[in-house]
Amino acid sequence: ADGGGGGGGGGGGAVEAAAEEVSPPLDTAHYNVLLSCLSRPRRWKEALELSARMGERGVQRDTSTYNALISVMKAAGKWKLALKLLRRMRAEGVPPDTITFSAAMAACARGGEWRPALLLMGSMRQAGVRPNTVTFSAAISACEKGGEWARALRLLRQMGDEQVPPDLITFNAAIGACAKGGEWERAMSLLTEAMPAEGIAPDSVSYNAAITAHANAQPARPDGALSLLRAMEGEGGAPPDNFSYNGVISAFGRAGRWEEAVALLRQLAAGEVAHGGEALSPDLVSYTAAISACAEAGRAAEAAALLEELRSSGLPLSILPFSKAIAAAAKAGEWRVACATLRQVSSLQLRHNALTTNLVLRACDAAGEPAAGLSALLPLLRESAAAGVASPADEETLELVPHLLLRAAEAAEVAEAVEGAEGAGVWSAEDAAQLRRALGRVEAQTAAAAARRAAKIKRDAEDELALAKLEREQTAAA
């Protein structure tokens, strides 16, 4: 039983206690079975506690034990813990196998950490463990998450050199890596040449990745994306789904063809397309992509109308479509609309972010309404501080605010009502003082974020050097 899937102890301990009511005492095999029962993502703490009790009771951990533990960390997205367990495993003299390395690489892939995943591939070879299809697929998937299409294709070639057969998952990850980089020609080569050569039929994921490659191309290629969608709709094609249509809508938007993007959204809304016998309907991503298309073209009114349609649809909401609508308003010089949309985000209790905040501040600055921007910002800082969450502000906010304060003071708007600023309220010297105090929290927050980025850059640089050395050794060996 799952026992609610809580993060703390209790579930694993209860299973263990029940098992200990029988004789003989639990051994390694028993604990391995118990660990396999904790494979739900939220039960990773229980898995670690169970492993610790094995050590306390003198029960030896073997390869299967660590494979189960690392698989739990993979499911929970705890890639650092997966690597820590692998190091502990080797320190204890427990030999890792293909499953061990594949699970650890998959954990890195889920965390978007492609460098550690590729280093694991090198460690695997040094340990004399031969990679298989699952291993290569995990490494290619890690490259996909990082947009490292060239390394993904290199791994795919290595599979051929080592006579390791790729499967559908392998190809989908490789096409996805090309999609991240906008490498549409390479994506199409994999879809239309490499996959058929291996006797592997593309599925919806394959086509969707290729559509995304066209959308991400520089410049975007909406006609190529649409051609793939029509191929999916044809007889014998992989059935299109929302991802398929959303990808084409994005491609039209990035090409500045907002009317065609909205027309495809309307086709979805009219129930004119089906998947698995059921009519498809727009989802949050569909609307966001269409609103983004309007934003790219500076069509603020159309973006606002689509946002209102989304709000009325009953679909779950996120900050992203509001950010896109604010971007459209800012581009069109509609600062009042931008401020009003920001207030909608608050009224719906959605999580603000720095990108949206800065869009509104810039729109107000460009319109010569600095007090309106400052009045929009202060409640957000107050709310985030009261809730104990990160402020929706960053380094750019810290640069914009002093500039806006200066402009507001110069216009004598600090101590009086801002005329014509719809909803801006009164911007006073007291508000300015509160804003400066609130910015102290933002400064601490951005300093901590900068320290984290610096640490990651340092770690990535170290991994990059280790990878370069590994690749040189592999080239020399070849």
Side-chain angles (χ1 to χ4, degrees):
D2 188 349
V15 175
E16 182 187 19
E20 286 181 335
E21 291 180 2
V22 298
S23 182
L26 297 182
D27 61 12
T28 301
H30 292 120
Y31 272 101
N32 290 348
V33 171
L34 293 177
L35 284 168
S36 69
C37 296
L38 301 175
S39 58
R40 301 288 181 86
R42 289 182 296 168
R43 305 192 71 174
W44 61 273
K45 289 183 180 178
E46 295 174 60
L48 290 177
E49 289 168 2
L50 198 57
S51 170
R53 285 199 291 276
M54 289 179 72
E56 291 166 2
R57 298 179 184 188
V59 180
Q60 185 176 0
R61 290 181 284 252
D62 63 9
T63 302
S64 296
T65 309
Y66 277 103
N67 287 351
L69 284 166
I70 292 172
S71 294
V72 172
M73 299 309 132
K74 176 190 74 174
K78 302 290 182 181
W79 67 273
K80 289 183 180 178
L81 282 175
L83 296 185
K84 185 175 181 179
L85 286 167
L86 180 56
R87 288 193 296 271
R88 183 198 294 173
M89 176 185 192
R90 304 187 78 172
E92 291 179 3
V94 180
D97 61 11
T98 305
I99 296 172
T100 317
F101 283 106
S102 297
M105 275 188 262
C108 293
R110 288 198 175 193
E113 296 289 337
W114 61 272
R115 293 179 183 88
L118 295 191
L119 286 171
L120 282 174
M121 181 72 85
S123 299
M124 185 178 190
R125 295 181 189 281
Q126 290 168 1
V129 181
R130 188 172 186 271
N132 61 12
T133 302
V134 175
T135 316
F136 272 107
S137 296
I140 292 172
S141 179
C143 292
E144 175 195 4
K145 298 295 190 298
E148 291 288 322
W149 62 268
R151 283 186 162 96
L153 296 184
R154 191 181 306 152
L155 287 166
L156 192 60
R157 288 193 296 272
Q158 282 181 20
M159 293 183 76
D161 295 341
E162 298 178 25
Q163 298 184 329
V164 179
D167 60 11
L168 181 61
I169 295 172
T170 314
F171 276 112
N172 286 349
I175 297 172
C178 293
K180 280 279 184 75
E183 294 289 330
W184 67 272
E185 290 174 304
R186 290 179 170 85
M188 291 300 294
S189 175
L190 291 172
L191 182 74
T192 62
E193 298 172 16
M195 292 184 76
E198 293 287 344
I200 298 172
D203 64 1
S204 298
V205 176
S206 318
Y207 277 99
N208 291 346
I211 287 172
T212 302
H214 286 279
N216 289 344
Q218 297 294 332
R221 304 185 74 260
D223 294 321
L226 184 62
S227 176
L228 285 169
L229 178 62
R230 298 307 178 216
M232 295 176 76
E233 293 172 335
E235 190 69 30
D241 53 21
N242 276 86
F243 289 102
S244 317
Y245 285 89
N246 295 346
V248 180
I249 292 172
S250 293
F252 278 126
R254 291 172 185 177
R257 292 160 61 174
W258 69 273
E259 292 171 303
E260 289 164 281
V262 174
L264 198 53
L265 176 72
R266 295 284 168 248
Q267 187 182 345
L268 268 177
E272 297 175 8
V273 294
H275 176 73
E278 295 184 7
L280 292 174
S281 58
D283 59 15
L284 174 63
V285 178
S286 314
Y287 276 103
T288 302
I291 293 170
S292 180
C294 294
E296 288 286 337
R299 309 293 298 194
E302 289 81 358
L306 285 173
L307 183 62
E308 184 57 36
E309 186 179 317
L310 170 60
R311 288 190 61 184
S312 304
S313 70
L315 290 168
L317 300 174
S318 77
I319 183 65
L320 193 54
F322 290 87
S323 294
K324 299 298 183 183
I326 288 172
K331 194 168 188 177
E334 297 284 350
W335 65 272
R336 288 185 177 87
V337 175
C339 289
T341 306
L342 191 69
R343 290 195 295 274
Q344 287 182 30
V345 175
S346 293
S347 67
L348 292 167
Q349 296 184 325
L350 298 174
R351 184 77 172 268
H352 288 275
N353 60 33
L355 173 65
T356 310
T357 302
N358 295 337
L359 280 170
V360 173
L361 293 179
R362 287 198 300 271
C364 292
D365 185 31
E369 297 288 344
L374 296 170
S375 295
L377 172 63
L378 185 54
L380 305 187
L381 298 182
R382 287 171 177 160
E383 290 165 11
S384 61
V389 299
S391 300
D394 59 11
E395 292 92 339
E396 184 180 359
T397 318
L398 292 174
E399 291 177 3
L400 282 167
V401 169
H403 168 71
L404 292 174
L405 282 170
L406 180 61
R407 289 197 67 187
E410 288 173 348
E413 292 175 343
V414 173
E416 62 186 20
V418 182
E419 296 179 3
E422 183 180 309
V426 175
W427 185 253
S428 65
E430 181 183 347
D431 288 334
Q434 285 189 28
L435 180 58
R436 289 190 178 95
R437 287 195 296 271
L439 288 178
R441 183 169 181 264
V442 177
E443 287 169 354
Q445 172 185 304
T446 54
R452 288 193 297 271
R453 284 196 302 271
K456 187 177 188 308
I457 290 170
K458 181 180 178 182
R459 187 180 71 243
D460 287 348
E462 291 170 351
D463 287 347
E464 196 73 53
L465 287 172
L467 265 179
K469 180 182 177 183
L470 178 63
E471 289 169 352
R472 285 195 301 271
E473 290 171 353
Q474 288 175 347
T475 302

